[in-house]
C-alpha cells in the first residue's frame, strides 16, 4: 500500500514537471486598458437584427507553448451579468487568420464559472476576468477566446476594442464575432 505522503510527492512532482514544460500566460484582449471611446462589438442575446452578437472574442497565437492561466475582457460601462469564457481553435482546417468563411473548432475550454466583474468608475468600464484556467496552448496554433452568456436578458454590452497587432509573445491577431445574420458565421 502506497502511503498518502508518497502519493502527494508523486502528484506534486507531476505538477512541477508539467508546469516546467510550458510558461504561464496571462492575457487581456486590451493590454493597455479599456478604450471607452472605441468599442468594437455589441455583445448580447437580443434577436436579429439587434446588432448584438452572442459570441465575441479575441483571435490569438503564441510563439511558445504556454499555460493559459487567466483572460480578461473589458465592457464599457458598469455591467454585471452571467458571462462564460470559451477557448477553441480558430479555423482549425487551415489555421489561417482571415478567410472567406471562418470557423472555430471544438471548445478546448468552457468556463463552468462566471467572470469576476470589477467596475472602474474612473475609467467607466468593467473588467470581466476569468482566473485559474489551466489550459495548455501550443505555439503557432491560432485560437479564439470568446464570451458567451446563458442569460437571455444580456444585451447591448459594448466591448472595448481588442488588440489587433501581435506583441512579443505572438499574442493578438484581431477580434472576431459570430454574426446573427444567417449565412455569415464568424467575422
Amino acid at each position: 500500500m502506497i502511503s498518502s505522503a508518497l502519493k502527494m510527492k508523486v502528484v506534486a512532482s507531476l505538477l512541477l514537471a508539467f508546469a516546467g514544460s510550458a510558461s504561464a500566460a496571462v492575457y487581456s484582449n486590451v493590454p493597455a486598458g479599456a478604450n471607452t471611446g472605441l468599442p468594437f462589438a455589441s455583445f448580447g442575446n437580443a434577436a436579429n437584427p439587434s446588432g448584438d452578437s452572442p459570441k465575441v472574442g479575441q483571435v490569438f497565437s503564441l510563439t511558445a507553448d504556454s499555460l493559459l492561466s487567466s483572460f480578461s475582457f473589458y465592457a464599457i460601462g458598469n455591467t454585471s451579468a452571467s458571462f462564460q469564457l470559451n477557448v477553441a481553435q480558430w479555423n482549425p482546417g487551415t489555421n489561417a487568420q482571415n478567410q472567406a468563411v471562418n470557423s472555430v473548432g471544438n471548445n478546448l475550454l468552457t468556463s463552468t464559472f462566471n467572470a469576476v466583474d470589477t467596475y472602474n468608475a474612473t475609467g467607466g468600464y468593467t473588467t470581466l476576468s476569468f482566473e485559474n484556467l489551466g489550459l495548455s496552448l501550443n505555439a503557432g496554433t491560432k485560437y479564439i477566446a470568446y464570451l458567451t452568456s446563458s442569460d437571455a436578458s444580456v444585451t447591448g454590452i459594448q466591448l472595448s476594442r481588442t488588440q489587433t497587432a501581435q506583441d512579443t509573445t505572438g499574442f493578438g491577431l484581431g477580434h472576431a464575432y459570430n454574426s446573427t445574420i444567417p449565412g455569415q458565421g464568424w467575422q
Side-chain angles (χ1 to χ4, degrees), residues 21-23 25 27 61-67 137-140 143 168-170:
S21 67
S23 60
Y27 293 111
S61 180
L62 303 169
T63 56
D65 290 353
S66 296
L67 185 67
L137 301 175
N138 298 318
Y143 297 98
T168 57
T169 67

Side-chain angles (χ1 to χ4, degrees), residues 15-187:
L15 288 173
L16 285 173
F18 177 73
S21 67
S23 60
V26 177
Y27 293 111
S28 161
N29 75 327
V30 186
N35 184 338
T36 57
L38 197 57
F40 82 94
S42 179
F43 173 76
N45 294 315
N48 189 27
S50 70
D52 273 3
S53 176
K55 297 177 183 178
V56 175
Q58 172 75 46
V59 178
F60 65 97
S61 180
L62 303 169
T63 56
D65 290 353
S66 296
L67 185 67
L68 182 66
S69 60
S70 66
F71 201 96
S72 296
F73 288 91
Y74 293 102
I76 297 171
N78 188 1
T79 185
S80 62
S82 169
F83 298 104
Q84 290 81 42
L85 177 72
N86 303 272
V87 179
Q89 189 175 342
W90 179 252
N91 288 323
T94 66
N95 210 26
Q97 181 180 347
N98 292 310
Q99 302 185 137
V101 176
N102 293 298
S103 63
V104 298
N106 294 330
N107 276 349
L108 303 172
L109 173 106
T110 299
S111 63
T112 56
F113 51 88
N114 290 326
V116 174
D117 305 335
T118 307
Y119 179 61
N120 180 314
T122 304
Y125 62 86
T126 301
T127 303
L128 311 173
S129 180
F130 298 89
E131 304 292 332
N132 303 313
L133 300 175
L135 177 64
S136 293
L137 301 175
N138 298 318
T141 301
K142 291 181 178 67
Y143 297 98
I144 181 169
Y146 63 95
L147 290 175
T148 57
S149 179
S150 56
D151 185 347
S153 67
V154 170
T155 184
I157 296 172
Q158 296 293 307
L159 296 176
S160 180
R161 184 162 300 280
T162 61
Q163 180 170 334
T164 55
Q166 290 189 27
D167 64 20
T168 57
T169 67
F171 177 76
L173 297 176
H175 58 272
Y177 63 94
N178 195 345
S179 176
T180 57
I181 298 171
Q184 287 198 356
W186 282 95
Q187 303 291 306

